[in-house]
Amino acid sequence: MKNLFVLSMNLLLFFSACQMEVAPPEAIWPVPDENQLAWHDREQYAFIHFTTNTFTGKEWGYGDESPSIFNPTAFDAEQWVTTIQEAGLKGLILTCKHHDGFCLWPSAYTEHSVKNSPFRDGQGDVVKEVSDACRRHGLFFGVYLSPWDRNFAQYAAPEYISYYRNQLTELLSNYGEVSEVWFDGANGGDGYYGGARERRKIDNRTYYDWPNTHTIVRKLAPQAVIFSDAGPDIRWCGNESGFSGETNWNTLSVDTLYPGKPDINRLLNNGSQDGTSWVPAEVDVSIRPGWFYHETEDDEVRTPENLLKCYLESVGRGSNFLLNLPPDRRGQIHEKDVKALRAWKQLLDATFSKNLAANAPVSADTYRGKSKQYAAANVTDGDKDTYWATDDHVRSGSLEIDLGKYQKISYVLIQEYIRLGQRVRQFNVEAWKDKAWEIIATGTTIGHKRILPIEAVEASKLRINIMDAKACPLIATVEVY
Ligand code: FUL
């Protein structure tokens, strides 16, 4: 009788242990905050460069341009926004003020704005029309406000910082929700500066007193991410050519960066695996050679194939893609740009329409606590919030995906569950071909998304081998195209 009792107690303990939840992996710091996670999901969006330069043909206005030249003849924010939406872009960031200092909204703090232009007889507000159009179409809206101002008389003096913050306050108070605030690092020196026409040098480590400007953003736009060359939320990718590093850590020790640091652009391009901040890279690039519209560049619009390359080398390397679409003198995105965007979207849709691994059977050589919660099937279930994980001490593992039959493969897409930190530092992909495994791709980092182009291969099974990671790997998604 006593033995029976002990046996049933043991069985009870055994079964309750089987049903016990296996604890999730601990985060490996630093990790993204909620605003950064929302940013990662946005993936691709438009940059809009529009100011007096559009009418003078310049890239950097000197600051002495008369507001009377700002005269778009058929301004149409609706056309921008529908073009952007049809291209699959999630929102836009508008140059509300570029280096020339001209404001696209009727700022109360300067006469150098749309209010003294012929646009809508001086009653117009580009920022309002564009932000309203974004909202109507469910796109996010972001603002670019150039720190360098070649028009303002007191630029380089403390007075300018108040002026700048007043303008930022206007933008963040009067135009609804702002999702990204873009602080440009360019400071070229010479300018009009209220008629002084001279060279002014500032120490850009101290002059702008960024921490106190960031406080304004946090207060007025708590949902916004802040971009600048070195963050705090989003970093520059180190080039304007449309790519981030094949090795791309979302982490970087931003406090070790300073303007002119040797090799800084490479560092921004790759991030650093031991970085102390989560500060992912954004890839900003123009669809034309210039940031502003110039008729002379009408034949130099990027091709759909080139835009696909930029996409693969930005989003496909775990960064976001910020594609500049400069409106022309009418105030519309030019037909040639619209055509390239449409063809690019078709190319993207055709390439990534059929995920050959959707709900495919997957097995793993190891998984966390032998719990279904962390099993291999999570990578093909179409749910990016479930993931395959290993036990804490296991830093490698293989996922084998059964494609059912021999199929042609051109891309493999992998996503880490970055909410708990970026981990993978080395992996490869093998294909089952002619009764043997063959390596078809190798990589270092994965992050939010990694898309690996494959020289078209026919295979019936794929194996993703995570070879090394900072902590137990967490893979949320594998897709195959
Ligand atoms: C640079 C600026 O100088 C360019 O004009 C452009 O706005 C680009 C996005 O950033 O630093």
Side-chain angles (χ1 to χ4, degrees):
M1 196 62 182
K2 191 173 162 225
N3 281 351
L4 204 66
F5 176 75
V6 172
L7 183 70
S8 51
M9 283 312 282
N10 280 347
L11 276 174
L12 204 68
L13 282 175
F14 174 73
F15 284 121
S16 51
C18 286
Q19 280 163 21
M20 219 161 62
E21 284 237 333
V22 174
E26 290 203 5
I28 165 121
W29 295 89
V31 296
D33 65 21
E34 292 301 321
N35 289 349
Q36 290 171 318
L37 285 167
W39 174 88
H40 278 287
D41 284 338
R42 295 201 275 273
E43 290 191 353
Q44 46 174 6
Y45 35 90
F47 216 171
I48 301 279
H49 275 68
F50 193 46
T51 184
T52 56
N53 295 345
T54 312
F55 302 89
T56 59
K58 288 186 195 161
E59 274 292 310
W60 279 8
Y62 189 69
D64 62 351
E65 297 76 17
S66 164
S68 66
I69 63 168
F70 185 81
N71 191 15
T73 49
F75 178 84
D76 189 354
E78 188 70 18
Q79 188 259 1
W80 301 9
V81 163
T82 49
T83 300
I84 285 167
Q85 193 164 39
E86 282 167 16
L89 303 170
K90 300 284 165 44
L92 66 85
I93 298 174
L94 173 66
T95 57
C96 301
K97 179 185 87 171
H98 201 252
H99 309 328
D100 57 288
F102 181 78
C103 298
L104 294 183
W105 79 103
S107 171
Y109 301 96
T110 180
E111 292 304 304
H112 198 56
S113 83
V114 280
K115 72 183 170 206
N116 288 312
S117 80
F119 172 62
R120 309 248 188 272
D121 294 325
Q123 302 301 304
D125 184 341
V126 174
V127 178
K128 176 150 179 37
E129 290 196 35
V130 174
S131 56
D132 283 351
C134 284
R135 218 121 22 233
R136 275 199 303 279
H137 289 269
L139 295 184
F140 82 81
F141 177 66
V143 300
Y144 168 117
L145 182 69
S146 172
W148 183 29
D149 189 320
R150 304 174 94 185
N151 173 264
F152 196 71
Q154 287 150 308
Y155 179 78
E159 288 78 359
Y160 173 70
I161 303 304
S162 312
Y163 173 76
Y164 185 76
R165 289 180 180 158
N166 285 335
Q167 293 197 321
L168 186 63
T169 301
E170 288 182 322
L171 291 174
L172 300 181
S173 308
N174 303 333
Y175 299 97
E177 187 165 308
V178 172
S179 301
E180 181 158 343
V181 181
W182 221 88
F183 294 127
D184 196 323
N187 274 289
D190 64 329
Y192 172 68
Y193 304 128
R197 297 185 183 275
E198 61 190 12
R199 192 169 183 82
R200 290 188 182 169
K201 209 168 145 31
I202 52 109
D203 179 348
N204 56 8
R205 277 171 302 189
T206 52
Y207 177 58
Y208 295 110
D209 177 24
W210 284 117
N212 281 311
T213 299
H214 294 167
T215 306
I216 297 173
V217 180
R218 298 294 187 222
K219 189 168 156 240
L220 299 177
Q223 67 293 324
V225 287
I226 302 177
F227 167 98
S228 88
D229 286 2
D233 300 328
I234 310 297
R235 73 174 194 262
W236 186 42
C237 70
N239 65 69
E240 292 180 341
S241 312
F243 66 93
S244 53
E246 277 193 72
T247 294
N248 184 15
W249 291 98
N250 293 304
T251 46
L252 191 62
S253 297
V254 285
D255 49 352
T256 66
L257 302 180
Y258 54 91
K261 177 173 169 136
D263 225 10
I264 189 166
N265 288 353
R266 193 201 50 76
L267 200 56
L268 292 169
N269 203 235
N270 294 136
S272 91
Q273 79 169 283
D274 301 318
T276 50
S277 301
W278 187 275
V279 55
E282 186 179 74
V283 174
D284 61 319
V285 65
S286 186
I287 196 164
R288 289 162 171 257
W291 290 100
F292 289 90
Y293 174 83
H294 311 292
E295 197 182 342
T296 49
E297 295 178 353
D298 280 353
D299 292 326
E300 293 179 80
V301 176
R302 283 178 190 270
T303 62
E305 294 73 22
N306 184 272
L307 291 172
L308 178 64
K309 182 172 186 286
C310 293
Y311 171 83
L312 292 170
E313 294 179 359
S314 55
V315 176
R317 292 181 180 172
S319 286
N320 278 6
F321 183 24
L322 175 56
L323 176 61
N324 182 59
L325 308 171
D328 60 18
R329 290 183 182 181
R330 291 170 305 174
Q332 296 186 20
I333 298 172
H334 192 269
E335 289 75 359
K336 292 207 170 167
D337 306 43
V338 173
K339 194 169 165 222
L341 285 169
R342 287 202 177 127
W344 170 54
K345 177 70 163 64
Q346 277 171 6
L347 205 55
L348 270 181
D349 289 349
T351 311
F352 298 106
S353 62
K354 191 163 183 281
N355 171 15
L356 304 175
N359 297 311
V362 203
S363 59
D365 58 351
T366 173
Y367 61 104
R368 189 172 184 84
K370 296 270 173 290
S371 161
K372 219 177 135 208
Q373 209 184 337
Y374 305 105
N378 288 330
V379 305
T380 55
D381 65 357
D383 181 349
K384 65 181 176 56
D385 294 323
T386 63
Y387 53 90
W388 164 72
T390 63
D391 284 324
D392 285 336
H393 64 282
V394 180
R395 306 270 175 99
S396 60
S398 295
L399 290 164
E400 195 175 307
I401 302 174
D402 186 351
L403 300 174
K405 57 175 193 256
Y406 272 89
Q407 314 220 42
K408 190 170 147 224
I409 293 161
S410 307
Y411 294 95
V412 175
L413 181 155
I414 312 175
Q415 294 189 281
E416 272 187 89
Y417 186 74
I418 54 171
R419 192 177 272 276
L420 296 177
Q422 186 178 2
R423 296 158 183 250
V424 175
R425 48 184 168 208
Q426 200 191 348
F427 70 98
N428 70 20
V429 182
E430 293 175 296
W432 183 251
K433 275 174 69 186
D434 309 324
K435 302 202 176 74
W437 288 107
E438 185 185 303
I439 296 175
I440 55 168
T442 56
T444 50
T445 53
I446 296 177
H448 168 71
K449 188 172 274 186
R450 186 71 200 264
I451 307 177
L452 299 142
I454 311 286
E455 289 268 327
V457 142
E458 294 244 334
S460 60
K461 285 190 287 189
L462 282 185
R463 200 152 68 179
I464 316 284
N465 303 304
I466 306 297
M467 286 129 80
D468 192 16
K470 276 169 79 173
C472 62
L474 316 180
I475 304 296
T477 309
V478 177
E479 294 174 4
V480 179
Y481 297 94

